[in-house]
Amino acid sequence: AVDEGDPVEPGQILGELDPEPYKNALTQAKGEYDAQKANLALLEEGYRTEEIAQVRSSMHERLVAFEYANTNYQRIQKLYDSRAVSADERDNARTARNEAMANLQAAKDKLSQYEIGNRAQEIEAAQANLEQAGGVLAQAQLNLEDSKLISPSSGVILTRAAEPGTVLAAGSSVFTLSLTRPVWVRAYVEEVNLPRAVPGTVVKITTDGQEGKFYDGRIGFVSPTAEFTPKSVQTPELRTDLVYRLRIIVTNQDDNLRQGMPVTITFP
């Protein structure tokens, strides 16, 4: 949305990734979250009266079937004892009785489960699944929001490292933003003048291109350690001395002060 040299403000959109994959992921995450939420509600509510009645009716049907199979087995057993039926018939009747008994027990267990309700462990597992789905949903929402590149502060775009349509790797630089507020000066003072460089001291700042124009500055930081004078300092005598770095905040800056511009600091 911006190009080199454009001024930007905090919160301004500088560019945007294709949002469709992130929208799809958000929709999927929301659907999973809603499903887990509904599942937890069902487990907490338990079974309805109609469902319990249906299971109880099924249990009674299994009971009748077992009683019939058991009565038939007892009759066949008596006939077998009198040698009126074969062993195969007796075995078949016993197998049918055992199957009916197993079905009846399963129906009783199911009715007991419906009447008691879901176990606490099942509800806790559903709650954990809901929390996990909530985390996935929050991350999907964050990913969609992060598809927009937002300016962190006001400044001027120095360079644009990517063109529209470029496929980017995570962490790739897209813009270089020059911060224009606040404007501060990096200066160096020799040890003999260090007592004058006290944080909060007001100084005057001048540039070579604006004769007679003064800017106001306030010393905001004094380095606690000495260093050899950087080569960027223009005075030959100072280059061999130990100096202390200062940071001076300009309080009445304008667009005529630019990065890298040499200035002169005057103490009162």
Side-chain angles (χ1 to χ4, degrees):
V2 294
D3 207 339
E4 294 177 358
D6 290 346
V8 297
E9 297 298 330
Q12 181 177 340
I13 296 178
L14 306 181
E16 183 178 10
L17 294 173
D18 180 10
E20 290 305 320
Y22 303 100
K23 290 180 179 179
N24 296 337
L26 178 61
T27 301
Q28 183 178 0
K30 189 176 186 305
E32 178 63 21
Y33 177 81
D34 292 341
Q36 294 296 341
K37 185 177 181 180
N39 181 58
L40 175 60
L42 285 175
L43 291 177
E44 290 178 336
E45 183 179 353
Y47 298 97
R48 294 178 297 176
T49 304
E50 296 84 354
E51 294 174 321
I52 297 176
Q54 184 178 4
V55 174
R56 183 178 289 113
S57 175
S58 176
M59 189 272 293
H60 284 302
E61 292 178 0
R62 300 291 175 85
L63 177 60
V64 172
F66 167 72
E67 290 176 346
Y68 172 79
N70 187 49
T71 301
N72 182 64
Y73 168 69
Q74 292 176 355
R75 182 178 63 83
I76 296 296
Q77 180 65 41
K78 291 179 180 179
L79 292 174
Y80 175 77
D81 293 340
S82 62
R83 299 296 186 269
V85 296
S86 65
D88 288 342
E89 291 182 86
R90 189 274 311 271
D91 293 343
N92 290 338
R94 181 167 57 192
T95 300
R97 190 275 309 268
N98 292 342
E99 289 180 355
M101 182 186 298
N103 292 336
L104 175 60
Q105 186 60 46
K108 288 181 177 179
D109 294 341
K110 187 173 183 180
L111 177 60
S112 177
Q113 175 188 348
Y114 273 53
E115 290 177 339
I116 296 175
N118 297 292
R119 292 179 297 178
Q121 295 87 338
E122 293 177 326
I123 296 178
E124 290 177 358
Q127 289 174 337
N129 291 335
L130 178 62
E131 291 176 1
Q132 182 178 5
V136 175
L137 176 60
Q139 185 60 50
Q141 180 66 45
L142 181 61
N143 290 341
L144 178 59
E145 293 173 359
D146 286 346
S147 65
K148 291 182 173 62
L149 184 59
I150 307 298
S151 175
S153 61
S154 60
V156 176
I157 299 297
L158 287 185
T159 58
R160 188 182 72 187
E163 298 297 325
T166 303
V167 178
L168 299 174
S172 301
S173 296
V174 180
F175 295 103
T176 301
L177 177 63
S178 171
L179 304 181
T180 55
R181 298 290 185 276
V183 174
W184 53 273
V185 178
R186 181 189 295 113
Y188 299 88
V189 61
E190 63 271 41
E191 186 173 0
V192 66
N193 289 318
L194 184 60
R196 304 172 63 187
V198 178
T201 300
V202 176
V203 297
K204 293 297 183 180
I205 304 169
T206 58
T207 65
D208 296 340
Q210 301 182 87
E211 186 176 355
K213 180 175 177 57
F214 293 91
Y215 295 94
D216 296 325
R218 186 180 300 274
I219 298 178
F221 168 79
V222 180
S223 174
T225 58
E227 57 184 288
F228 285 106
T229 309
K231 293 182 179 180
S232 58
V233 175
Q234 301 300 318
T235 308
E237 293 78 7
L238 286 180
R239 291 182 185 153
T240 58
D241 294 338
L242 290 176
V243 293
Y244 293 82
R245 178 164 51 91
L246 308 179
R247 173 176 289 185
I248 301 170
I249 306 299
V250 183
T251 57
N252 61 339
Q253 72 276 4
D254 58 27
D255 293 338
N256 292 319
L257 289 177
R258 299 181 179 274
Q259 287 195 22
M261 176 182 292
V263 296
T264 300
I265 306 300
T266 304
F267 284 90

